Short mmCIF file of all heavy atoms in Angstrom, two decimals:
data_model
loop_
_atom_site.label_atom_id
_atom_site.label_comp_id
_atom_site.label_asym_id
_atom_site.label_seq_id
_atom_site.Cartn_x
_atom_site.Cartn_y
_atom_site.Cartn_z
N SER A 232 99.30 105.81 76.51
CA SER A 232 100.11 106.97 76.24
C SER A 232 100.39 107.78 77.38
O SER A 232 99.62 107.91 78.35
CB SER A 232 99.37 107.81 75.16
OG SER A 232 100.01 109.03 74.95
N ASP A 233 101.57 108.51 77.40
CA ASP A 233 101.82 109.37 78.52
C ASP A 233 100.92 110.59 78.53
O ASP A 233 100.78 111.30 79.58
CB ASP A 233 103.26 109.92 78.53
CG ASP A 233 103.71 110.71 77.40
OD1 ASP A 233 102.97 110.78 76.47
OD2 ASP A 233 104.77 111.35 77.45
N SER A 234 100.20 110.91 77.50
CA SER A 234 99.22 111.96 77.55
C SER A 234 97.97 111.48 78.41
O SER A 234 97.23 112.42 78.81
CB SER A 234 98.59 112.24 76.11
OG SER A 234 97.88 111.14 75.59
N ASP A 235 97.85 110.21 78.85
CA ASP A 235 96.84 109.82 79.71
C ASP A 235 97.22 110.02 81.18
O ASP A 235 96.33 109.77 82.10
CB ASP A 235 96.61 108.26 79.45
CG ASP A 235 96.28 107.90 78.15
OD1 ASP A 235 95.67 108.82 77.40
OD2 ASP A 235 96.44 106.76 77.67
N LEU A 236 98.38 110.47 81.51
CA LEU A 236 98.85 110.60 82.85
C LEU A 236 98.08 111.44 83.66
O LEU A 236 97.71 111.10 84.87
CB LEU A 236 100.33 111.13 82.92
CG LEU A 236 100.96 111.14 84.17
CD1 LEU A 236 100.88 109.81 84.88
CD2 LEU A 236 102.52 111.64 84.03
N PRO A 237 97.53 112.69 83.21
CA PRO A 237 96.70 113.44 84.17
C PRO A 237 95.49 112.72 84.74
O PRO A 237 95.20 112.97 85.84
CB PRO A 237 96.27 114.67 83.32
CG PRO A 237 97.43 114.76 82.19
CD PRO A 237 97.79 113.41 81.94
N VAL A 238 94.83 111.92 83.95
CA VAL A 238 93.77 111.12 84.44
C VAL A 238 94.16 109.91 85.33
O VAL A 238 93.69 109.81 86.40
CB VAL A 238 92.79 110.67 83.28
CG1 VAL A 238 91.78 109.67 83.79
CG2 VAL A 238 92.26 111.81 82.52
N MET A 239 95.15 109.25 84.77
CA MET A 239 95.58 108.01 85.47
C MET A 239 96.35 108.26 86.75
O MET A 239 96.41 107.40 87.74
CB MET A 239 96.48 107.18 84.54
CG MET A 239 95.67 106.75 83.31
SD MET A 239 94.15 105.78 83.69
CE MET A 239 94.79 104.26 84.34
N ALA A 240 96.83 109.56 86.93
CA ALA A 240 97.56 109.79 88.21
C ALA A 240 96.51 109.85 89.33
O ALA A 240 96.96 109.70 90.47
CB ALA A 240 98.17 111.30 88.02
N LYS A 241 95.19 110.07 89.08
CA LYS A 241 94.30 110.06 90.00
C LYS A 241 94.21 108.63 90.68
O LYS A 241 93.81 108.53 91.83
CB LYS A 241 92.81 110.49 89.52
CG LYS A 241 92.91 112.00 89.06
CD LYS A 241 91.69 112.39 88.30
CE LYS A 241 91.81 113.80 87.80
NZ LYS A 241 90.67 114.20 87.11
N ALA A 242 94.32 107.58 89.86
CA ALA A 242 94.38 106.33 90.45
C ALA A 242 95.54 105.98 91.33
O ALA A 242 95.49 105.46 92.35
CB ALA A 242 94.40 105.22 89.21
N VAL A 243 96.70 106.53 90.84
CA VAL A 243 97.91 106.43 91.65
C VAL A 243 97.77 107.11 93.04
O VAL A 243 98.17 106.54 94.07
CB VAL A 243 99.19 107.00 90.93
CG1 VAL A 243 100.34 107.21 91.78
CG2 VAL A 243 99.41 106.14 89.64
N LYS A 244 97.03 108.32 93.08
CA LYS A 244 96.95 109.02 94.37
C LYS A 244 96.08 108.21 95.25
O LYS A 244 96.37 108.08 96.49
CB LYS A 244 96.26 110.24 94.03
CG LYS A 244 96.13 111.16 95.30
CD LYS A 244 95.57 112.46 95.05
CE LYS A 244 95.45 113.28 96.36
NZ LYS A 244 94.64 114.49 96.18
N VAL A 245 94.94 107.52 94.80
CA VAL A 245 94.21 106.67 95.66
C VAL A 245 94.97 105.53 96.26
O VAL A 245 94.98 105.20 97.35
CB VAL A 245 92.92 106.26 94.88
CG1 VAL A 245 92.19 105.12 95.73
CG2 VAL A 245 91.95 107.32 94.55
N LEU A 246 95.75 104.87 95.33
CA LEU A 246 96.55 103.68 95.71
C LEU A 246 97.53 104.19 96.73
O LEU A 246 97.68 103.44 97.74
CB LEU A 246 97.31 103.05 94.55
CG LEU A 246 96.47 102.52 93.37
CD1 LEU A 246 97.28 102.07 92.27
CD2 LEU A 246 95.57 101.27 93.94
N GLU A 247 98.16 105.29 96.67
CA GLU A 247 99.09 105.79 97.66
C GLU A 247 98.41 106.05 98.99
O GLU A 247 98.94 105.84 100.10
CB GLU A 247 99.81 107.02 96.99
CG GLU A 247 100.85 106.80 96.03
CD GLU A 247 101.57 107.99 95.41
OE1 GLU A 247 100.95 109.07 95.55
OE2 GLU A 247 102.44 107.82 94.61
N GLU A 248 97.19 106.64 98.86
CA GLU A 248 96.47 106.88 100.14
C GLU A 248 96.16 105.67 100.93
O GLU A 248 96.15 105.63 102.10
CB GLU A 248 95.19 107.74 99.73
CG GLU A 248 95.35 109.08 99.43
CD GLU A 248 94.11 109.71 98.73
OE1 GLU A 248 93.07 109.15 98.79
OE2 GLU A 248 94.19 110.91 98.37
N TYR A 249 96.00 104.52 100.23
CA TYR A 249 95.60 103.27 100.88
C TYR A 249 96.98 102.50 101.18
O TYR A 249 96.93 101.28 101.74
CB TYR A 249 94.77 102.39 100.02
CG TYR A 249 93.33 102.83 100.19
CD1 TYR A 249 92.60 103.01 98.97
CD2 TYR A 249 92.61 103.00 101.40
CE1 TYR A 249 91.15 103.30 99.08
CE2 TYR A 249 91.35 103.33 101.44
CZ TYR A 249 90.65 103.50 100.39
OH TYR A 249 89.31 103.84 100.50
N GLY A 250 98.10 102.97 100.78
CA GLY A 250 99.31 102.22 101.02
C GLY A 250 99.46 101.07 100.11
O GLY A 250 100.19 100.10 100.52
N ILE A 251 98.89 101.06 99.00
CA ILE A 251 99.01 99.83 98.07
C ILE A 251 100.17 100.13 97.13
O ILE A 251 100.37 101.13 96.53
CB ILE A 251 97.65 99.81 97.19
CG1 ILE A 251 96.51 99.54 98.21
CG2 ILE A 251 97.85 98.72 96.17
CD1 ILE A 251 95.16 99.61 97.44
N PRO A 252 101.08 99.15 97.18
CA PRO A 252 102.21 99.26 96.29
C PRO A 252 101.70 99.14 94.64
O PRO A 252 100.78 98.50 94.41
CB PRO A 252 103.09 98.04 96.51
CG PRO A 252 102.27 97.01 97.20
CD PRO A 252 101.11 97.82 97.84
N TYR A 253 102.44 99.89 93.86
CA TYR A 253 102.06 99.90 92.37
C TYR A 253 103.14 100.11 91.56
O TYR A 253 104.34 100.59 92.04
CB TYR A 253 100.94 101.09 92.23
CG TYR A 253 101.50 102.53 92.50
CD1 TYR A 253 102.01 103.03 91.34
CD2 TYR A 253 101.49 103.07 93.70
CE1 TYR A 253 102.64 104.28 91.50
CE2 TYR A 253 102.09 104.22 93.82
CZ TYR A 253 102.61 104.93 92.74
OH TYR A 253 103.21 106.21 92.92
N GLU A 254 103.08 99.86 90.31
CA GLU A 254 103.90 100.37 89.19
C GLU A 254 103.13 100.94 88.13
O GLU A 254 101.97 100.59 87.97
CB GLU A 254 104.69 99.09 88.66
CG GLU A 254 105.76 98.47 89.46
CD GLU A 254 106.51 97.38 88.91
OE1 GLU A 254 106.51 97.28 87.64
OE2 GLU A 254 107.15 96.64 89.64
N ALA A 255 103.58 101.88 87.55
CA ALA A 255 102.93 102.59 86.37
C ALA A 255 103.87 102.47 85.08
O ALA A 255 105.06 102.46 85.14
CB ALA A 255 102.67 103.98 86.66
#
């Protein structure tokens, strides 16, 4: 659910810090 975004955005931030491509 998009209500999960505040928690799951923390994963995205780590992936971005490592330069790992992702899709959400």
Side-chain angles (χ1 to χ4, degrees):
S232 168
D233 65 347
S234 65
D235 302 331
L236 186 56
V238 173
M239 298 307 289
K241 295 173 185 177
V243 168
K244 184 176 179 188
V245 170
L246 296 172
E247 288 176 345
E248 288 171 0
Y249 281 131
I251 297 171
Y253 67 90
E254 288 182 20

